[in-house]
Amino acid sequence: FYNNVDPVHSLPFSCGYFHQEARYGDGISFLTRAAVPQDEVLYGIGDCENKLGRKAEAVEAFTAVVEKFPASKLADYARLNKALLSDGETREKELRRLDRPETPKAVRDMARFSLAPILSASADAAERRKALGIYLDLSASADAKVAEEATFFASMLSYREGNYVEAATLYATLQKRFPTGRRTVESRVYKAWSEHLAGRPAAALETASAALAAGAAFVDAPDSRMPRDTESRRRTVASILQVFVE
C-alpha cells in the first residue's frame, strides 16, 4: 500500500538512481549539492535517511518540506511520512490533518488506514464508529490487499463492539470477496462465534464446520484459553462444535 503512495521514484533521475541502487548515503551527498528544487531535495534526503534507519533525521527532513514548502506537491506526502515515523500525539495529529478532501486520494487513504487503529482504541464510542466508517470506505479500494485488510478490521471492530449480526455480515462479505485470501480461514472462526453470539446456532454450526474443515487452528471467544499445539487446538474446535449443535 505504502509503495503505491511514496513519490520518491518520480523524483529526478539521479535521486531515483540512488534509491534503486540502495546507495542512500551517496544519495544524501548528491542531494545536498543537487541543482533541483529544494522541496525535492529535502524529500529525497528524508527518504534516504529513513532507509538508513536514521528516524530523527528523516522526520526533520520531512518536517522541513511541510513547513518550508506548504504549497509543494510533496508537502502532503512528507506529512504522511512524518506521521508514520512518529508516535503518540504527533502521529495522530498529522494523520488527522491529512484526512481532508483536498489531500491526494492515495495519501488520504493511507493516512486514514493508519488513523483507524488509533480511533478504534479510543474510549469514545463515536471515535470507534468513525474507525469502522474508515475501514468500510477502504474496503472498496481498488487495491485488493487494502480492501481485504480493511474489511477484516471492520469485521473485527464490529465483533469487539458486540455488534455480532453486523460482524457476521462483514465476515461473510470478506469470505465472498476474497475466498482464497490470507484472512479467510481466520474469518470463518470469528464468523462462527459471531453467529453463535447473535443467537443463530444453525449458521454458527455451518460456519464452524467449514472453519474446522479448512484447517482453522484457533478459536477466539470471550474468556477462552486455547492450547498452544495445533492438534490440541483442533480438538478444542471440534468440542466447541458440540456447543453449536446443542
Side-chain angles (χ1 to χ4, degrees):
F1 189 8
Y2 176 72
N3 288 335
N4 295 333
V5 175
D6 192 357
V8 70
H9 297 290
S10 66
L11 295 179
F13 172 75
S14 49
C15 302
Y17 170 77
F18 289 118
H19 182 84
Q20 292 168 17
E21 295 295 314
R23 292 166 53 192
Y24 302 114
D26 291 341
I28 292 173
S29 297
F30 166 79
L31 286 164
T32 57
R33 305 188 307 272
V36 296
Q38 278 298 300
D39 57 337
E40 295 185 1
V41 169
L42 288 168
Y43 190 95
I45 289 174
D47 179 70
C48 290
E49 294 284 17
N50 185 27
K51 296 300 192 301
L52 289 168
R54 299 199 288 243
K55 181 177 173 180
E57 289 82 354
V59 169
E60 182 180 359
F62 289 130
T63 300
V65 176
V66 173
E67 295 180 350
K68 294 181 179 180
F69 304 96
S72 168
K73 65 180 180 181
L74 294 174
D76 284 335
Y77 294 92
R79 189 183 295 280
L80 175 62
N81 277 282
K82 177 185 177 181
L84 297 179
L85 289 169
S86 301
D87 300 309
E89 292 183 4
T90 299
R91 182 184 182 92
E92 180 177 352
K93 179 180 68 175
E94 298 294 0
L95 291 173
R96 285 183 183 273
R97 284 180 174 176
L98 290 167
D99 189 8
R100 62 188 196 279
E102 59 268 30
T103 301
K105 185 179 186 306
V107 175
R108 187 183 185 193
D109 285 352
M110 183 65 189
R112 298 180 82 210
F113 191 85
S114 302
L115 177 61
I118 298 173
L119 300 178
S120 66
S122 173
D124 186 340
E127 292 283 79
R128 298 196 300 274
R129 201 66 191 176
K130 182 178 179 180
L132 178 63
I134 290 174
Y135 285 135
L136 292 176
D137 286 347
L138 294 176
S139 70
S141 172
D143 186 318
K145 291 182 180 179
V146 174
E148 181 181 1
E149 289 297 285
T151 305
F152 178 75
F153 289 132
S155 308
M156 293 297 292
L157 185 51
S158 290
Y159 182 87
R160 291 201 305 269
E161 291 289 299
N163 299 322
Y164 301 120
V165 172
E166 179 181 68
T169 299
L170 289 171
Y171 287 126
T173 299
L174 178 68
Q175 292 161 26
K176 182 176 181 179
R177 290 184 61 194
F178 308 100
T180 59
R182 62 188 293 268
R183 299 290 192 177
T184 300
V185 173
E186 186 178 2
S187 68
R188 283 186 180 134
V189 175
Y190 283 111
K191 182 177 183 294
W193 277 105
S194 296
E195 299 284 14
H196 175 61
L197 294 169
R200 302 193 292 209
L205 174 60
E206 180 181 359
T207 305
S209 299
L212 184 61
F218 67 94
V219 168
D220 178 61
D223 301 319
S224 64
R225 303 277 301 183
M226 294 298 293
R228 292 183 178 276
D229 66 284
T230 299
E231 184 55 37
S232 295
R233 289 181 176 188
R234 287 178 62 84
R235 287 198 299 270
T236 303
V237 173
S239 67
I240 289 173
L241 289 178
Q242 297 304 313
V243 174
F244 295 132
V245 172
E246 295 171 1

